[in-house]
Amino acid sequence: MSTEDIPEPDRVEGAPHPRRTAALFGQPAAEEAFLTARDAGRLHHAWLIAGPRGVGKATLAWRIARNLLAGAGGPLDMAPDQPVFRRCAALSEPRLFLLRRAWDAKAARLRQIIDVEETRRLKTFLQLSSADGGWRAVIVDAAEEMNTSAANALLKVLEEPPERTAFLLVCHAPARLLPTIRSRCRELRCGPLDAASLAAALDAAGLQTDDATALAELSGGSAGEAMRLAAHGGQPAYEELLALLATLPRLDRPRMIALADSCAGRDAAERYDMMMRLVPLALSRFARAGALGALPVEAARGEGDLIRRLSPGPGPARAWAEAVQRLGERMARARSVNLDPGQVMLDTFLDIETTAQRLASAA
């Protein structure tokens, strides 16, 4: 396999890598917090850039890194034709180190963790001084993917950080980090994107959407997830799923079988994966709306009426929440033992039907 064919663990399929992304959308507070510290001369050596997946954390890390390496001051915007931008995009910038999951050539797949061997490479990088005496940058993406040995090795570096070296830890799940690492970082919090910011991010990535509001709802404000949904027909698939659920408490059999069959077969892996995400999402939206007593913004036409009928209060909300947990565990087991996708989806739909019929009989 050539270098160009090796997948990158820190890149969303169908989207440009964050190191090649110039603009950041929807995170003005996080960016302003960094700029305020930098301009006041209080630039911390380690920054924990935390938040949900796909909301721009890595893009912010690369923007900060390029700004420091260029010694530019001012805003974090940089034209892609600038030398520092080009070197970072090509991973040829000698003052930058990217710590991420490595490619296992023997197993022909990405490693599941960032191991201590990668952090040893970081130590070698840090032993070299910057040629011009300027800043160096280390990006860790994603920080929670470090195993214990790698995390402890990074902790030792953070305890005695080299001068003029910024550590930028991109993290989706800060609770999984060592508390001692978290305590040595200043946090920049990135939140979900609103519909306008999401549409702008998709447009910048070369993707168009007819309904950014619905896509923002389905993706939870994650541009990364929105790109996956847009690339694999997520919105039409969700509408198809809701059309089936609208026949509850007894599902329409031909429609149920057709939807399950569409997830089976060698060429249906992406469809199956999409449905495995959309089913828990739909039920979670039922549960949340019933618990809060407020309907969400519709992610598909007719969703509000369906939620109002199937989850009118706390009792049904609890039942749907339990179904989300139960089906999530079942789906995880199905993936681990490679069960037939069509049968997995049939079993899932029948479980949902059982829940709906139990709620209908108790009403």
Side-chain angles (χ1 to χ4, degrees):
M1 179 179 287
S2 66
T3 303
E4 291 78 11
D5 295 329
I6 294 176
E8 297 187 274
D10 50 346
R11 174 179 173 267
V12 173
E13 180 186 358
H17 191 281
R19 69 176 180 270
R20 296 190 175 96
T21 303
L24 176 66
F25 300 96
Q27 306 300 344
E31 191 159 303
E32 184 60 31
F34 172 81
L35 291 174
T36 299
R38 185 203 64 188
D39 295 344
R42 300 193 304 271
L43 194 56
H44 200 64
H45 70 280
W47 297 82
L48 180 64
I49 306 176
R53 289 181 181 272
V55 298
K57 300 185 302 297
T59 298
L60 176 57
W62 284 95
R63 283 167 63 85
I64 291 173
R66 291 192 297 258
N67 181 269
L68 292 176
L69 294 173
L76 299 184
D77 298 313
M78 181 180 291
D81 61 355
Q82 292 297 309
V84 168
F85 196 112
R86 292 202 307 268
R87 290 196 299 269
C88 287
L91 294 181
S92 61
E93 170 56 61
R95 296 169 298 158
L96 181 138
F97 187 91
L98 175 59
L99 180 60
R100 58 181 177 175
R101 287 186 288 129
W103 176 254
D104 187 333
K106 188 174 182 179
R109 60 177 174 82
L110 287 167
R111 291 175 179 162
Q112 298 301 303
I113 57 170
I114 298 173
D115 61 26
V116 72
E117 291 301 321
E118 296 304 308
T119 53
R120 286 173 181 158
R121 289 180 50 244
L122 169 61
K123 287 186 176 181
T124 301
F125 166 80
L126 294 174
Q127 288 170 358
L128 303 175
S129 59
S130 177
D132 61 359
W135 280 90
R136 292 179 297 177
V138 176
I139 296 176
V140 185
D141 191 0
E144 72 271 13
E145 293 174 349
M146 293 184 292
N147 66 10
T148 302
S149 297
N152 282 323
L154 178 63
L155 176 61
K156 291 181 181 178
V157 175
L158 295 180
E159 288 174 337
E160 298 181 11
E163 291 186 2
R164 298 183 69 78
T165 301
F167 294 84
L168 305 166
L169 280 63
V170 177
C171 187
H172 315 305
R176 290 171 53 189
L177 282 180
L178 293 176
T180 43
I181 287 182
R182 296 201 307 268
S183 68
R184 283 165 174 78
C185 298
R186 178 171 174 180
E187 183 173 320
L188 296 174
R189 173 63 60 170
C190 295
L193 304 185
D194 59 25
S197 297
L198 184 65
L202 293 178
D203 184 65
L207 296 172
Q208 300 294 327
T209 178
D210 296 329
D211 192 344
T213 299
L215 199 54
E217 285 292 305
L218 288 179
S219 66
S222 165
E225 181 62 16
M227 289 173 189
R228 293 187 189 94
L229 290 166
H232 300 301
Q235 284 177 284
Y238 191 70
E239 292 171 358
E240 191 175 354
L241 173 62
L242 288 189
L244 173 63
L245 298 182
T247 66
L248 288 168
R250 189 180 191 279
L251 292 173
D252 179 280
R253 266 21 188 194
R255 182 173 286 179
M256 177 181 71
I257 293 170
L259 186 51
D261 285 347
S262 73
C263 298
R266 183 174 301 177
D267 299 328
E270 290 179 353
R271 169 81 165 180
Y272 178 49
D273 182 70
M274 181 65 66
M275 279 297 167
M276 293 277 271
R277 295 205 298 271
L278 292 179
V279 169
L281 173 62
L283 301 187
S284 295
R285 289 171 66 80
F286 290 4
R288 181 175 177 82
L292 296 178
L295 293 175
V297 175
E298 285 194 339
R301 183 176 298 176
E303 185 187 33
D305 290 338
L306 181 60
I307 292 176
R308 189 181 293 110
R309 177 168 67 86
L310 295 178
S311 188
R318 188 178 306 109
W320 292 121
E322 291 170 353
V324 171
Q325 182 175 357
R326 182 174 63 251
L327 292 175
E329 293 171 353
R330 184 180 299 170
M331 288 176 174
R333 287 197 300 271
R335 284 184 181 278
S336 66
V337 297
N338 201 27
L339 294 179
D340 174 64
Q343 189 60 53
V344 171
M345 295 313 302
L346 275 178
D347 292 343
T348 298
F349 295 145
L350 291 173
D351 188 297
I352 293 171
E353 181 182 74
T354 299
T355 300
Q357 290 179 345
R358 187 173 67 250
L359 290 173
S361 64

